[in-house]
Structures are given as C-alpha cells and as structure tokens.
Amino acid sequence: MSFLKKLFSFKNHRGDSNSSDPFLRFLKSVLGYTPQNVEVFKEAFTHRSAQKKDENGNSINFERLEFLGDALLGASAAMHLYYKAPGQQEGYLTKMRSKIVSRKQLNAVSKQLGLLDYLDPMNNHNNLGEDVNGDMLEALVGAIYVDGGIDAVQKFIQVKIIDPYADLDRLEHTITSHKSLILEWSQKTRNTIRFNTFEEQNAEDLQVFVSVIRLNDKVISKGRGTSKKKAEESAAKRAYYSLQKKIEKV
C-alpha cells in the first residue's frame, strides 16, 4: 500500500473512531459543526461536584465558561433588541433582554437540547437543582466562543435562542419574576410588601426554605423551595394571583 493510501486510510479510521463517540456526535448535532477543541466542551459539561483537577491542582469545572457565556448571551440579546426595537428606550430594552436570558428561559432551552444527559458527574443530577440546566447552557455558549470564535457563538445564540424565543410581542406578556412584579406594584401603590424567608426544619436530610409574604403586615401567601430564591418566587407567584386584579388596574 502506498504512503498516500495509508494516510488516507488512517484519516478515515480516525474519523470513524470519532464518529462513534456519543459525546462528539451529540456536540455536532447541537452545534451544527465539528468542534476543534473537544476538551473545552468536556470542561463545559463538568460540574464542580465532580471534583476534577488538572496537573497543577486547579479545579476543572464549567464555572469560568459559564461566566463567559453569561456575558455573551447578554450582549447578543442586547444587539438583537437594539436593531429589532429601534423606537424603544433603555428601560424597555433592559426588561426584554432580561426575559430573553432569564433563568427560566435558559433552563428550558437547555432541557430541549438535552445538555443534562452529558453532565459529569452523571449520578447526582437531582441534588443540583433546576438552574444547573441554564448554567450548562451558559457554559456551552462560552465553550463555543473559545472553540469557534464570535461568529460561531453568535450563530448558535441566534438559531437556538433568539429566533425561537425572542418574539417581542410574546415576551411583553411573559412574567419572568413574580417577585419583581409585586414589589414594583407595591412601590407604585405605596403598599408594603415584606418577605420572611427561613430554612424549614425537617426529618429528611434535605435543605428546604419557606417564604412568607406580608402585605401591610397581613400574611397573603407562603411558598417553599430548595433555595431562598425559589421559595420567594413560589410565594410571590401565589401572592400575584391573589392580587392580580389590583395589579392589572395600575
């Protein structure tokens, strides 16, 4: 066999080997291109609880990429809104940007892409909370930037997030934070809203928080969650529905 034939055969063999890697196949299907730096994507799918370290003892997890991805998502959403809504001012643009990149929205996109199926470690997903989905999506966006540059990451954000979910008419009627909504209402109407949030004592080895909302010192709702933020949002959602008619009049 000639040298060129051997080389061609070797390249084909490597391609077959790579194509048989489930993680690489998954990345290709999600990204729409073949990644050059698979290691950075492995980092993007590694949670801190995996306790991985490099040869220098530095932790390997997706948190740095998550930080980068968060900034890229915010910038992409801002650019989209700047051109999509030329007649709107800063307040409107800020509100719409927060809705496009809200934790709820990013969690939903991540679930649709199936990112959690490839998270390392694989055995404690239930203990990580709902928001790990959005964290992974942000880390993936950061990894795409490191691997493919600004064009690749902007294309991914446009196709996977902005085109399907950034419809302004729909977003205007979407509530991303019931807590913010009722606090804004209370300020406009000079009512007093107070949150009392504390950890609930239970026999199981689970961390659960309870939030009690008082309107002018009267209890109007309660909520529970695995974090203070989730408990307060749960209570705020119940408070919103009890106050909905009053809120909509303002």
Side-chain angles (χ1 to χ4, degrees), residues 161-193:
I161 300 171
I162 290 178
D163 286 348
Y165 302 110
D167 178 79
L168 297 187
D169 290 335
R170 181 186 66 83
L171 288 174
E172 286 176 0
H173 298 90
T174 300
I175 299 174
T176 56
S177 172
H178 291 88
K179 180 180 178 180
S180 297
L181 193 63
I182 65 171
L183 287 175
E184 182 180 351
W185 169 80
S186 71
Q187 291 170 358
K188 288 180 179 178
T189 59
R190 296 185 179 180
N191 285 286
T192 302
I193 291 280

Side-chain angles (χ1 to χ4, degrees), residues 24 45 79 104 140 143 156 160 174-177 189:
L24 183 57
F45 283 79
M79 286 188 289
K104 181 179 179 181
L140 177 63
F156 176 85
K160 300 296 185 180
T174 300
I175 299 174
T176 56
S177 172
T189 59

Side-chain angles (χ1 to χ4, degrees), residues 23 27 31 33 35-46 60-62 64-66 68 136 139-148:
F23 182 62
L27 286 177
L31 304 181
Y33 74 92
Q36 301 299 309
N37 183 357
V38 178
E39 291 304 312
V40 75
F41 288 99
K42 289 181 180 178
E43 181 179 330
F45 283 79
T46 301
I60 299 175
N61 58 63
F62 62 53
R64 281 170 50 82
L65 291 170
E66 177 191 353
L68 178 60
M136 290 184 67
L140 177 63
V141 168
I144 295 171
Y145 175 77
V146 173
D147 179 65

